[in-house]
Amino acid sequence: MYISLNYRNKLRAIKKHFGDAAQYKKYLEEQNEVLSAFRMYKQADEETYIKDYDHLLEETADCLVVAFQLGIITELKEFFRQAINFEYREVEKDFILATMVYKIDRTMQKYKIEWRGKNVS
């Protein structure tokens, strides 16, 4: 998954704002949320399937945002392989990337985080 230079700079600014220790803790929380969302998705019935699947994609985006901040994408891939044995199709990857961009920008605005680079939002 490709993250532009501007967004990588934003991720660095977010990590600096919150600190390494807090972001590692956040990463573990996000992994647990992905696992919980995956369990809900696997148990979904026809009525909740779409909602549960969208929730899984959103939690995946959250986990990826923190993993990119910490530079631990390899570990995240291993987490997905071992914990949920799940691969996303291109359409889901596009949704996840769009969600990541939204969440990065939202965090920057919410916490008024300064960063160096051209504003692409």
Side-chain angles (χ1 to χ4, degrees), residues 11-80:
L11 288 169
R12 282 187 204 99
I14 292 169
K15 178 182 167 189
K16 183 178 179 182
H17 178 81
F18 290 108
D20 285 356
Q23 292 310 87
Y24 275 105
K25 182 179 177 184
K26 182 72 172 168
Y27 174 69
L28 295 174
E29 290 171 8
E30 295 300 347
Q31 277 191 335
N32 287 329
E33 289 175 12
V34 169
L35 287 173
S36 176
F38 184 72
R39 282 190 292 274
M40 288 173 57
Y41 160 72
K42 282 302 205 182
Q43 297 170 358
D45 56 27
E46 287 181 30
E47 192 173 307
T48 63
Y49 176 80
I50 298 294
K51 182 183 94 167
D52 289 338
Y53 190 64
D54 286 349
H55 181 68
L56 173 60
L57 295 178
E58 186 173 334
E59 292 300 340
T60 299
D62 289 343
C63 197
L64 280 167
V65 165
V66 183
F68 270 104
Q69 287 174 32
L70 298 171
I72 53 177
I73 296 303
T74 302
E75 290 86 345
L76 184 64
K77 286 179 184 176
E78 186 64 15
F79 163 73
F80 276 101

